[in-house]
Amino acid sequence: DYWEKFAGVRSFLGYMISHPGKKLLFMGCEIGQFAEWSEERQLDWYLLDYEFHAKLQHYYAALNNLYLSTPALWDEFTDTPEKSFEWLEKHDADRSLIAFRRVSREGHDVTVVLNFTPMTHVDHRMNVPLPGKYREVFNSDAQEFGGSGVLNTGVLEAFPVEGNFLHMVRMNVPPLGCVILERIDEEGE
């Protein structure tokens, strides 16, 4: 299915840009080029005449802008990189969900939730590292990117998990999606 291929690409790109380490994208991937890139010819720019390819390019541009404006995704502790990354969910093989926290050297953080299946998880309880309120700052399933529109609008309130140091939020996890949450203060800033 054409939609699932593009959703899978968006999910993978969300994972790639949010996970620690060097970022690598081959020429043409940002427009969903099918043929392998060759230095002997130009990219297949005609693909941008097709809606899914144009939306994928828009998605990649928005993802790059998010990366640049979110220090938690790139301002890593150089001497102790493990301080910049924390697994929040890595054992949910049944649903193919993972979640992790990225932290900048100045303490700004984001929570990244990835779904690697075409199943939507509505009202899913997801671990978050700290109490408080969270908001979605990025979602690969937004319709502007060619997604189905499974979003988290408004504020997500974290509640404590009894007998655990973590907290949870109830959220929608889109199919083949990447969701990035940030904690907000009481004024919503």
Side-chain angles (χ1 to χ4, degrees), residues 15-23 67 70-85 100-108:
Y15 171 76
M16 181 201 63
I17 207 83
S18 61
H19 200 270
K22 301 286 184 203
K23 311 306 175 203
Y67 182 79
T70 308
L73 297 177
W74 51 265
D75 186 24
E76 300 175 0
F77 290 87
T78 51
D79 294 338
T80 52
E82 64 276 4
K83 290 182 180 179
S84 298
F85 181 88
F100 51 87
R101 177 181 182 219
R102 294 297 310 275
V103 184
S104 73
R105 290 183 290 178
E106 293 184 3
H108 298 105

Side-chain angles (χ1 to χ4, degrees), residues 103-117:
V103 184
S104 73
R105 290 183 290 178
E106 293 184 3
H108 298 105
D109 69 310
V110 293
T111 299
V112 179
V113 182
L114 295 147
N115 178 6
F116 294 106
T117 70

Side-chain angles (χ1 to χ4, degrees), residues 103-165:
V103 184
S104 73
R105 290 183 290 178
E106 293 184 3
H108 298 105
D109 69 310
V110 293
T111 299
V112 179
V113 182
L114 295 147
N115 178 6
F116 294 106
T117 70
M119 301 294 298
T120 300
H121 302 286
V122 177
D123 201 30
H124 179 72
R125 294 173 183 236
M126 180 56 65
N127 291 332
V128 291
L130 300 167
K133 297 178 180 182
Y134 289 76
R135 73 171 163 211
E136 181 178 274
V137 294
F138 196 80
N139 188 322
S140 67
D141 200 50
Q143 290 179 335
E144 69 183 290
F145 304 138
S148 62
V150 176
L151 307 174
N152 295 283
T153 57
V155 174
L156 305 172
E157 184 78 43
F159 57 93
V161 178
E162 194 172 320
N164 195 328
F165 66 94

Side-chain angles (χ1 to χ4, degrees), residues 54-65:
K55 286 185 175 186
L56 181 62
Q57 184 189 40
H58 174 61
Y59 171 75
Y60 194 71
L63 196 58
N64 278 333
N65 286 328

Side-chain angles (χ1 to χ4, degrees), residues 81-100:
E82 64 276 4
K83 290 182 180 179
S84 298
F85 181 88
E86 175 186 9
W87 281 109
L88 299 174
E89 182 59 66
K90 61 181 177 180
H91 297 293
D92 197 348
D94 292 338
R95 289 180 286 222
S96 294
L97 293 175
I98 62 172
F100 51 87

